[in-house]
Amino acid sequence: MSAGIGVRRRLPVVSYRCDLVSGHCNAEASFCWSEIVDVASPVVDTDVKQSYHSFVRCIRAHHRADHPRMIDFVGLGSRVESNDVLRLTTMANDTERHESTTSTVSDRDRSLKLVRSQMDLAIEFGLIRLRVEDQSLTGESITVNGQELINFGSCAYLGLNVDDRLKTGAIDAINQYGPVFSSSTAYTSVDLYSTLEHKLSQIFGGTVLVPTTTTLGHLSVLPVLVKPRDLVLLDHQVHASVQLTGNTLRGLGAQVETVPHNDMDTLRSVLDERSGDYDKVWYLADGIYSMFGDTAPVTEIMDLVDRFENLRAYFDDAHGVGWMGERGKGYVLSQVPLHDRMIVIGSLAKSWGAGGSVLVLPDGDIAEQVLLAGATFTFSGPLHPAELGAAVAAAEIHLSPELVTRQQELMKRIDYVRDRLVAAQLPAMSLERTPIWYVRVGAPANAGVLARQLINDGFYPNVSGFPAVPWGMDGIRFTNTLYHSEEHLERFMDALEKYVPGLVVPLDSTVDLR
């Protein structure tokens, strides 16, 4: 019996040939869907594997909107649109490739196999793990496989990552301190840390520390403050780096659980029923969720913090810092002031355009605890001088009137995309006014086809599927940055309106891993 996703049925032996009008492809092969257990598995017949890869290469190389009837499937009894071909590809692969060849394979192994199948498909279509070939970058485009693409996958929302002032700050820091100051910050660090911390304090308030990355920041602060008698509640879609830290907290003895995404009723019920059983309760959420671009209900969360004395809120605002809030203090702190039972961490490597992160703590005593016992502050390397120099230069821009202009210009681009999504009724997962957008098509191969179509038209989006998003939410993620001109946005949205409607499939979230 097969076990997979959606419709459970076997397809017959299928012959196909590419009848591309131009290009002289002449690809022709046949295989049986039921033989495709896992094209990466050595148990699959070599001829079957070659036929399958030939099929995928043909689609990757020649699928174009001006050739919508690319494939002629002899074995299905009629000629079908290439979009339908990809739906069949998804159904067959997802149905068959997860079958077990032994009853002893664990659920974890099957889950990893499922993830691998998703990754392999994206790699096969040439959508991920790509190298940028540009000799120098201007921000608006990247060159991949010899093709210049307008970059809709960048998180440099304010267009600062190639700003000359940040480059100068980085170069000056290297000239002054070298490419790396090789010491734990527990012993010594360059004075640029002091300069950066002072400027960040002006922007964010509270007491700030500068972890090397947001991931290392989570691992520095949470294991110090969360105790074995605490309950940790993770929003279902909180960033993977926070979930990773949740595993560490579980190992230290804390009770770690997941609650439905942004579900304040469930959170309130858990607190009503169980908060008295624990010393502290921690709620861990993103400020702006990195895949769908939706936001945390910050004011409602902080209302609960006020109501429950042992509740603490921890926000990863990596995607909110810089482009949002007064002086770029981020989405979370633009909604509520810093609270004495609240911690915020943001990235300096996205909108900020530099490197590192900023950890905003309510008081100096907590900061001292983290510096004293936070393992990643002591046992991981420091920010490199170039990152510090660039971050200081970016902080000066955030403290200047220029930031308001940049934020306003970005919001114009956000509103344009939002208006186009609404007008075209495209399946966007969120319409909140953030620079992150996600359009769902619902099947891995369809998402791959959509991304390839956009690449063929000169755009680079982020294709996405499980486990980065929930199962059945495959689609493309794209962003707004100040590098995008009106023409770029208009052409990109025209392309989405052209391709998306023919690729969307109904949601089917059934996954059988037996």
Side-chain angles (χ1 to χ4, degrees):
M1 294 291 292
S2 66
I5 301 146
V7 179
R8 309 304 202 266
R9 63 173 174 142
R10 295 184 183 278
L11 297 178
V13 173
V14 174
S15 298
Y16 78 92
R17 59 178 175 269
C18 178
D19 65 353
L20 186 66
V21 176
S22 61
H24 310 290
C25 176
N26 299 320
E28 187 169 346
S30 65
F31 55 90
C32 179
W33 287 119
S34 61
E35 294 178 296
I36 304 297
V37 177
D38 182 348
V39 294
S41 170
V43 303
V44 178
D45 181 79
T46 301
D47 291 338
V48 172
K49 196 181 297 188
Q50 289 176 346
S51 294
Y52 176 82
H53 284 298
S54 175
F55 169 67
V56 174
R57 282 196 300 272
C58 182
I59 291 175
R60 176 179 169 183
H62 302 306
H63 184 70
R64 299 289 192 276
D66 56 339
H67 299 297
R69 296 180 177 271
M70 186 185 72
I71 305 293
D72 183 1
F73 268 82
V74 177
L76 296 181
S78 63
R79 188 177 171 88
V80 295
E81 295 284 348
S82 53
N83 288 343
D84 294 326
V85 169
L86 268 295
R87 292 192 187 96
L88 292 170
T89 307
T90 303
M91 181 184 69
N93 287 346
D94 287 341
T95 300
E96 303 297 342
R97 70 172 60 189
H98 311 312
E99 278 194 325
S100 174
T101 57
T102 172
S103 61
T104 61
V105 179
S106 69
D107 284 351
R108 182 177 183 276
D109 289 338
R110 291 182 181 281
S111 297
L112 289 174
K113 186 177 181 181
L114 182 62
V115 173
R116 179 181 175 182
S117 72
Q118 297 283 92
M119 297 292 289
D120 285 349
L121 187 63
I123 293 170
E124 189 88 42
F125 276 104
L127 304 173
I128 64 174
R129 296 181 180 170
L130 305 175
R131 300 292 186 182
V132 173
E133 300 158 359
D134 304 78
Q135 295 301 305
S136 63
L137 292 170
T138 60
E140 70 176 32
S141 66
I142 55 176
T143 302
V144 177
N145 295 325
Q147 182 183 7
E148 184 178 0
L149 305 171
I150 303 302
N151 190 3
F152 278 85
S154 172
C155 296
Y157 307 121
L158 290 180
L160 292 176
N161 62 314
V162 294
D163 187 282
D164 285 342
R165 290 164 292 185
L166 272 69
K167 291 180 182 179
T168 299
I171 292 169
D172 288 348
I174 289 177
N175 287 336
Q176 188 171 358
Y177 300 109
V180 62
F181 185 79
S182 190
S183 172
S184 166
T185 56
Y187 289 114
T188 56
S189 57
V190 299
D191 196 44
L192 278 174
Y193 265 104
S194 299
T195 304
L196 179 58
E197 288 165 353
H198 174 70
K199 293 182 182 298
L200 293 176
S201 294
Q202 292 178 273
I203 294 169
F204 294 97
T207 302
V208 301
L209 300 177
V210 183
T212 309
T213 66
T214 51
T215 300
L216 293 177
H218 304 323
L219 290 166
S220 70
V221 63
L222 288 169
V224 172
L225 300 182
V226 176
K227 308 301 181 186
R229 284 276 307 156
D230 291 354
L231 171 63
V232 179
L233 300 174
L234 303 173
D235 182 279
H236 180 266
Q237 293 185 30
V238 72
H239 195 268
S241 59
V242 180
Q243 297 189 39
L244 171 68
T245 307
N247 292 333
T248 300
L249 300 177
R250 187 178 289 112
L252 294 174
Q255 179 69 23
V256 181
E257 301 176 9
T258 300
V259 294
H261 177 52
N262 277 352
D263 188 338
M264 293 297 101
D265 289 336
T266 297
L267 177 59
R268 191 176 297 106
S269 296
V270 172
L271 294 170
D272 281 333
E273 295 171 10
R274 300 171 58 197
S275 63
D277 299 335
Y278 297 92
D279 291 341
K280 293 185 180 68
V281 180
W282 296 80
Y283 181 66
L284 279 50
D286 288 355
I288 295 175
Y289 287 87
S290 61
M291 295 307 300
F292 293 165
D294 56 326
T295 64
V298 175
T299 55
E300 292 182 64
I301 294 168
M302 296 313 298
D303 285 344
L304 292 174
V305 170
D306 286 332
R307 176 181 165 188
F308 295 90
E309 292 186 1
N310 65 340
L311 178 60
R312 307 289 188 272
Y314 182 92
F315 293 102
D316 179 348
D317 204 19
H319 289 272
V321 164
W323 71 271
M324 182 70 174
E326 183 184 7
R327 295 181 171 181
K329 62 185 177 183
Y331 175 76
V332 172
L333 293 175
S334 72
Q335 304 301 301
V336 296
L338 186 63
H339 192 287
D340 61 2
R341 285 182 276 129
M342 166 187 178
I343 295 172
V344 180
I345 189 169
S347 175
L348 303 182
K350 294 179 172 62
S351 178
W352 207 267
S357 64
V358 53
L359 181 60
V360 187
L361 301 166
D363 61 63
D365 289 341
I366 294 176
E368 190 58 37
Q369 290 181 55
V370 174
L371 286 175
L372 178 67
T376 58
F377 271 105
T378 300
F379 300 110
S380 63
L383 275 178
H384 298 316
E387 295 173 297
L388 289 166
V392 168
E396 291 170 352
I397 294 172
H398 283 71
L399 288 165
S400 75
E402 177 186 338
L403 178 71
V404 175
T405 301
R406 287 182 175 267
Q407 290 176 329
Q408 291 172 345
E409 287 299 313
L410 181 64
M411 194 57 69
K412 290 178 184 177
R413 290 158 172 79
I414 291 170
D415 287 340
Y416 175 82
V417 170
R418 185 179 186 276
D419 290 345
R420 290 289 300 265
L421 289 169
V422 170
Q425 292 294 288
L426 295 180
M429 295 302 297
S430 171
L431 291 173
E432 296 196 54
R433 298 175 76 208
T434 76
I436 301 171
W437 305 100
Y438 193 93
V439 172
R440 175 198 172 272
V441 293
N446 289 30
V449 167
L450 175 57
R452 284 304 314 176
Q453 289 171 322
L454 292 170
I455 287 174
N456 293 339
D457 284 359
F459 306 107
Y460 180 74
N462 296 141
V463 69
S464 188
F466 180 82
V469 295
W471 187 263
M473 295 297 174
D474 304 81
I476 62 158
R477 171 189 183 272
F478 63 96
T479 59
N480 289 138
T481 73
L482 288 187
Y483 297 122
H484 298 145
S485 67
E486 292 183 12
E487 180 189 359
H488 295 154
L489 293 173
E490 183 177 1
R491 288 175 46 224
F492 183 79
M493 295 307 299
D494 286 346
L496 283 184
E497 291 179 17
K498 180 178 182 180
Y499 298 130
V500 168
L503 291 169
V504 178
V505 298
L507 177 63
D508 182 351
S509 59
T510 301
V511 182
D512 186 349
L513 292 177
R514 289 179 298 170

